[in-house]
Amino acid sequence: VVVRKAREAGRAPLSRGRVLAAAIQRADDEGLAAVTMRSLAADLGVEAMSLYHHLPGKEGLLDGLVESILDEIREQTAVDDTGPDDTGPDDTGTDAFDWRDAVRQRCLGARVVMVRHPWAPALITSRPSVPPSAYLHYEALLAEMIRGGLSYHLGHRALHALGSMVLGFVQEVFTPDPGEGAHDPEAAEADFAAFAAFVPHLAAMVASELHAADDDPLGWCDSQAEFEFTLDLILDGLHASSGDGGSPPM
Amino acid sequence: VVVRKAREAGRAPLSRGRVLAAAIQRADDEGLAAVTMRSLAADLGVEAMSLYHHLPGKEGLLDGLVESILDEIREQTAVDDTGPDDTGPDDTGTDAFDWRDAVRQRCLGARVVMVRHPWAPALITSRPSVPPSAYLHYEALLAEMIRGGLSYHLGHRALHALGSMVLGFVQEVFTPDPGEGAHDPEAAEADFAAFAAFVPHLAAMVASELHAADDDPLGWCDSQAEFEFTLDLILDGLHASSGDGGSPPM
DNA sequence: ACCTGAACACCGTTCAAGT
DNA sequence: ACCTGAACACCGTTCAAGT
C-alpha cells in the first residue's frame, strides 16, 4: 500500500538507499564538496529537510557513503569468485589453495571501486572510526590468509599493509600539467628545462619513462600497473616471511 | 620600520606564516573541520577578512597547510643526516652507500609528521593536485635510489609504493572501542562474543595479538612496528627486483 | 599597506506546521 | 508517516570604508 501511495504521487518514494545513490552520483560528478543537503535534495526533487527522515544529518550521510563504498567492494569481489552456476567439482582440492591469488583479487576489486569513486579514500581516512561493515572485509582477507598458512601475527601486518595501499594509491605522483604547454611547444620546452634544473633526477625519470612508453597506449604513468607491482611486492614479501622466521624466500 | 610599527600596536604583525601556524595548531587541537576563516581569525585576535591580505581564500589556506606539512617533513628528515658540524670524513666511501637506509629514514620522517598531524593524509589526498614542493621530496628519494643502482623505472614504482604507504598508513585497523566495556566487564565479554560470532578469524587474531602483547607496553596494535614492517617489506622487495629482471633475491 | 564593518549567498539544522 | 516553510546560527567571500 505504501508503494501505491507513492505511485499516486507520481514519484518514487524517498529512501535511505535512494538518497545515498544520489549522493554517490553527485560526488562522482561534482566532487564530494558539492554533496550538500540542499543540493542533494534538489537532485531528488525534494526539500532539504526531507532527507532527515531517512538519514541522521550530514555526518550520517557521510557514514552512509562509506558503507555504500564498502558494499560496492563486496559486490565487486563477489562477482569474480562466483561461477555461472556453482563453483564446480574442481573446488575439492583445497591443498592447492593459493592465498595470494585470493587476496590479490580482493585488493584489485577494492581498487576498482576506489578508482570509480576517487573521493572515497579521502572520505574514509577522514572519518573518525572504521565502520563495522569494514570488519567483514578484514575477516574475509584474514580467513584466506590463515587458510593459506599465515600466522595471526603476519595476517595482522598484512591487513595494515594492504589497507594502506588500497587507501593511499589513488593519487598520481604527477599531474600531467593540463593546459600548460598544450598550445605552445616552445613554452612547454622551457618549462621542462626549468623543471629539469630544479629536480634533475625526476626530469630524467619522466623522460626515460616517456620514451619507454612510446609504444604503450596507456601513457607513461600506468597507475594500474604500478598498483599491481606494489601489490605483488607486498604479497611476495608476506609469502617469504611466512616460510620461517624471516629468511630469504625460496 | 615595519616591526617598529607592529610593536607600537602591541601585537605581532599578521603574516602568512603566522596564519598557517595557527591553522595547524587549530587542526591538531580541534580537527581540520574546525579550521574556519572566522575561528582562525579569532585565534589570531583579528577579524576574518584580515586573513585575505595574506592568503587567497580558504582554498589557498588549505594549499598552504599542505606546504607546511611538506616543510615539516623536510625539517624532520634534515635533522637526521646533519651531523654536529659537518658530515665528516667518513662520507668519502660512496661505494658503501645503502639506498635502503637513506630512503627508510625519509619515510620514517614523513610518518612522524603524519602521526603528529593526523588530518594531513586526508587533506593531501583530497587536494586536486600535488604541490610543486612535493617534487623536492620525490627528487631526494629518487636521487638516493638512482645512486643506489636502481633504474628509473623501478624508482618510479618505488615512489608510488612508498607514497601510498606514507599516505595510507595512519588509520588504525580497529578502533579500541572506547567507553564501550570500560565500566561493565560482563557487557564487554558479551560484545566480544557477538564480535567472534560474526568475524571469527578477526576475533581470534585480536585474542592472539592481545596475548602476545601482554608484556609489550605499546599495546596489542603497535602501529609503528606495523609501519616499519611494511616499509622493510617494500624496500627489500625493491632491492630484490633491482638485482636483475625480477628473479628471486640473492 | 593593512585592517574593518556590514552585507550577500550559502550551509546544516530546529521546529512548528501541514497532509 | 512523511514532507514542508520559515527561521536560526554559521560559513566563505565581496566591497566600500576606515587608518
Side-chain angles (χ1 to χ4, degrees):
Chain A
V1 289
V2 178
V3 178
R4 198 147 143 225
K5 235 202 240 172
R7 275 209 195 113
E8 284 168 22
R11 173 168 285 134
L14 218 51
S15 71
R16 183 183 142 92
R18 256 170 52 80
V19 173
L20 289 177
I24 288 176
Q25 187 65 51
R26 193 170 180 81
D28 289 345
D29 294 344
E30 315 274 347
L32 189 60
V35 177
T36 277
M37 299 298 275
R38 288 170 137 102
S39 65
L40 181 56
D43 285 352
L44 291 160
V46 96
E47 227 61 27
M49 304 75 207
S50 306
L51 304 178
Y52 286 81
H53 292 272
H54 302 96
L55 285 163
K58 182 69 177 288
E59 288 299 294
L61 193 158
L62 295 180
D63 287 338
L65 283 180
V66 173
E67 277 182 57
S68 298
I69 292 297
L70 293 171
D71 283 350
E72 270 191 44
I73 294 174
R74 190 179 41 70
E75 288 167 22
Q76 184 71 31
T77 53
V79 168
D80 290 358
D81 57 18
T82 306
D85 193 31
D86 202 358
T87 48
D90 52 328
D91 197 30
T92 52
T94 51
D95 285 280
F97 177 74
D98 186 351
W99 67 270
R100 279 183 290 178
D101 282 348
V103 169
R104 191 182 140 95
Q105 287 309 312
R106 286 191 187 275
C107 290
L108 290 176
R111 171 166 167 83
V112 166
V113 176
M114 295 299 176
V115 169
R116 194 187 301 156
H117 309 295
W119 43 268
L123 173 64
I124 293 172
T125 55
S126 71
R127 294 275 81 196
S129 66
V130 178
S133 17
Y135 291 171
L136 292 175
H137 289 99
Y138 289 133
E139 171 72 12
L141 283 166
L142 185 60
E144 284 163 351
M145 292 190 284
I146 297 298
R147 185 179 162 203
L150 265 62
S151 68
Y152 284 116
H153 187 59
L154 198 55
H156 184 193
R157 304 195 141 176
L159 292 184
H160 273 281
L162 298 171
S164 84
M165 212 193 46
V166 169
L167 288 176
F169 218 93
V170 168
Q171 187 158 268
E172 297 291 343
V173 175
F174 301 104
T175 66
D177 217 346
E180 178 70 27
H183 37 53
D184 191 347
E186 283 183 26
E189 238 174 273
D191 280 352
F192 189 80
F195 182 71
F198 213 57
V199 284
H201 293 88
L202 222 45
M205 183 195 82
V206 171
S208 166
E209 294 283 77
L210 270 174
H211 181 264
D214 270 349
D215 49 352
D216 181 354
L218 285 168
W220 76 274
C221 185
D222 180 1
S223 195
Q224 183 66 23
E226 311 284 352
F227 181 87
E228 295 188 19
F229 173 82
T230 306
L231 178 56
D232 285 333
L233 211 62
I234 290 176
L235 293 178
D236 289 345
L238 291 167
H239 178 72
S241 298
S242 75
D244 49 19
S247 74
M250 55 179 184
Chain B
V1 289
V2 178
V3 177
R4 198 146 143 225
K5 235 202 241 172
R7 276 207 193 117
E8 282 167 24
R11 174 169 283 134
L14 218 52
S15 71
R16 184 183 141 92
R18 255 169 54 80
V19 173
L20 289 176
I24 288 177
Q25 187 65 51
R26 192 170 181 82
D28 289 345
D29 294 344
E30 315 275 346
L32 189 59
V35 177
T36 278
M37 298 298 275
R38 287 170 137 100
S39 64
L40 182 55
D43 286 352
L44 291 160
V46 96
E47 227 61 27
M49 303 75 205
S50 306
L51 304 179
Y52 286 80
H53 291 272
H54 302 96
L55 286 163
K58 182 70 178 286
E59 288 300 294
L61 193 156
L62 296 180
D63 287 337
L65 282 180
V66 173
E67 277 181 58
S68 297
I69 293 297
L70 293 172
D71 283 350
E72 269 191 46
I73 293 174
R74 189 179 42 71
E75 289 167 21
Q76 185 69 33
T77 53
V79 167
D80 289 0
D81 57 18
T82 304
D85 193 30
D86 203 359
T87 48
D90 52 327
D91 197 31
T92 52
T94 52
D95 285 280
F97 177 75
D98 186 350
W99 67 269
R100 279 184 290 179
D101 283 347
V103 170
R104 192 182 140 93
Q105 287 312 312
R106 285 191 189 276
C107 291
L108 290 177
R111 171 167 166 83
V112 166
V113 176
M114 296 298 177
V115 169
R116 194 187 299 156
H117 309 294
W119 43 269
L123 172 64
I124 292 172
T125 55
S126 70
R127 294 275 80 195
S129 66
V130 178
S133 17
Y135 292 170
L136 292 175
H137 289 99
Y138 289 132
E139 171 72 12
L141 283 167
L142 185 61
E144 284 163 351
M145 293 189 284
I146 297 299
R147 184 178 162 203
L150 265 64
S151 68
Y152 283 117
H153 187 60
L154 197 55
H156 184 194
R157 303 194 141 175
L159 292 184
H160 273 282
L162 298 172
S164 85
M165 212 193 47
V166 168
L167 287 176
F169 218 94
V170 167
Q171 188 159 269
E172 297 290 342
V173 176
F174 301 104
T175 65
D177 217 348
E180 179 70 28
H183 38 53
D184 190 348
E186 284 183 26
E189 239 174 273
D191 280 352
F192 190 80
F195 182 69
F198 213 58
V199 283
H201 292 88
L202 222 44
M205 183 194 82
V206 171
S208 167
E209 294 282 78
L210 270 174
H211 181 264
D214 270 349
D215 47 353
D216 182 353
L218 285 168
W220 76 274
C221 185
D222 179 1
S223 194
Q224 182 66 23
E226 312 284 352
F227 181 87
E228 295 188 18
F229 173 81
T230 307
L231 178 57
D232 285 333
L233 212 62
I234 290 176
L235 293 178
D236 289 345
L238 290 167
H239 178 72
S241 297
S242 74
D244 49 22
S247 73
M250 54 175 182

